[in-house]
Amino acid sequence: MCPDRDLNARPGFFLTFEGLDGSGKTTQIRRLTDTFDSDGTPYLVTRQPGGTAFGDRIRALLLDSKSEGLAPRTELAMMFADRAQAIQEVIAPALAADKLVICDRFTDSTEAYQGGGRNLGSDLVLSLHRLICGDLQPDLTILLLPDLQASLARARRRNTRKSRRGSKKDESRFEAEHDAFFLRVYEKYREIAAREHQRVVIIEGELDVDEVHARVMKAISERLKQWQTQSANSA
Ligand code: TMP
């Protein structure tokens, strides 16, 4: 995609969630959308890879443990192919229509996993992001960083449970990576958070689900209120 307009000049609010596998993102996004449902805040939730019909096919290929021998640059290009489709089909139209978009992972994941984990470096990822995604930036990113070993243990237990239940969906390719890979991902996330401290809010440590939810709400509420006021004034 070669965007012909400035994707960052949009009325909507773009909120992303980031973190290692097993960091509790899915649970926290569900808690957040439950809260929005009960107070009547409209939103749209999507995820990466996936979130479009074509993206779901890319996701299946990327996460399937049978996709062996994938070159790191192939993996990187597929993440951006997925993202270009999601931006064009879902994210950009929703932001242009003044909506709140919640995305489970975005380019910070590519920088952490492919840039850090696969050692491709941040520069390549960020250059591709500018070229392919028009440098679209989230308004706010919640980065969940519980203890590294505890996250990995949760992610691996979840996959074992899924395969015991006979789930046909195999999404374990990344979780099968060794600990050194995840340590690089973890460190890259910390580096991104330090560099992008205006945008990224880190929630660290082994906290219970309610405590993390309370911190997510605290991080989001103020910025969301500002955006809602701006939207109402320009309507
Ligand atoms: P999840 O949907 O359960 O979070 O799993 C997606 C997996 O894909 C997770 O292991 C992280 C990985 N991933 C990347 O490696 N790069 C990316 O750009 C994205 C979006 C995800």
Side-chain angles (χ1 to χ4, degrees):
M1 186 178 75
C2 190
D4 49 10
R5 62 197 152 100
D6 181 0
L7 291 174
N8 287 313
R10 79 282 164 144
F13 192 92
F14 188 27
L15 170 65
T16 60
F17 276 78
E18 292 286 348
L20 288 166
D21 304 74
S23 60
K25 277 182 300 96
T26 312
T27 307
Q28 289 304 325
I29 291 173
R30 201 175 316 116
R31 289 289 300 268
L32 180 64
T33 56
D34 285 349
T35 306
F36 286 159
D37 286 341
S38 59
D39 70 16
T41 304
Y43 62 86
L44 181 151
V45 181
T46 186
R47 67 169 177 181
Q48 295 191 349
T52 64
F54 189 64
D56 286 340
R57 294 170 72 185
I58 296 178
R59 179 184 175 91
L61 279 172
L62 276 168
L63 302 195
D64 190 336
S65 60
K66 289 193 288 302
S67 297
E68 281 167 12
L70 213 58
R73 281 182 165 72
T74 310
E75 189 178 275
L76 174 69
M78 286 176 75
M79 293 296 178
F80 274 111
D82 165 73
R83 187 159 304 128
Q85 188 66 28
I87 290 175
Q88 172 133 333
E89 215 180 298
V90 179
I91 300 173
L95 292 175
D98 202 9
K99 293 198 171 122
L100 163 61
V101 178
I102 304 168
C103 195
D104 184 345
R105 299 192 180 280
F106 194 60
T107 299
D108 293 329
S109 282
T110 319
E111 191 179 344
Y113 281 76
Q114 283 66 51
R118 300 281 187 231
N119 281 317
L120 292 175
S122 294
D123 288 350
L124 176 60
V125 174
L126 297 178
S127 303
L128 285 172
H129 185 66
R130 281 190 288 274
L131 278 171
I132 295 172
C133 304
D135 206 27
L136 174 62
Q137 297 295 328
D139 293 289
L140 178 64
T141 297
I142 305 290
L143 171 58
L144 301 182
L145 274 190
D147 175 70
L148 173 61
Q149 288 308 330
S151 297
L152 291 183
R154 272 192 294 272
R156 287 167 182 156
R157 268 201 307 274
R158 185 180 58 202
N159 274 325
T160 314
R161 273 200 307 272
K162 270 194 194 161
S163 67
R164 275 210 204 106
R165 280 203 308 265
S167 167
K168 289 210 182 70
K169 232 191 209 169
D170 175 348
E171 293 203 331
S172 62
R173 195 171 68 87
F174 281 97
E175 279 94 338
E177 281 296 334
H178 37 82
D179 290 7
F181 171 87
F182 286 107
L183 182 59
R184 289 195 295 276
V185 175
Y186 184 87
E187 283 172 349
K188 187 57 89 176
Y189 266 136
R190 299 199 76 92
E191 190 185 309
I192 296 168
R195 189 187 68 216
E196 308 277 327
H197 53 91
Q198 305 269 38
R199 166 175 69 83
V200 180
V201 173
I202 307 192
I203 299 177
E204 309 187 65
E206 282 301 298
L207 306 168
D208 72 33
V209 173
D210 290 338
E211 175 60 26
V212 177
H213 176 63
R215 293 191 189 193
V216 169
M217 290 311 296
K218 185 164 178 275
I220 290 175
S221 299
E222 197 51 40
R223 297 207 208 183
L224 214 52
K225 235 185 270 154
Q226 271 171 18
W227 168 66
Q228 283 161 337
T229 312
Q230 268 166 17
S231 285
N233 289 342
S234 59

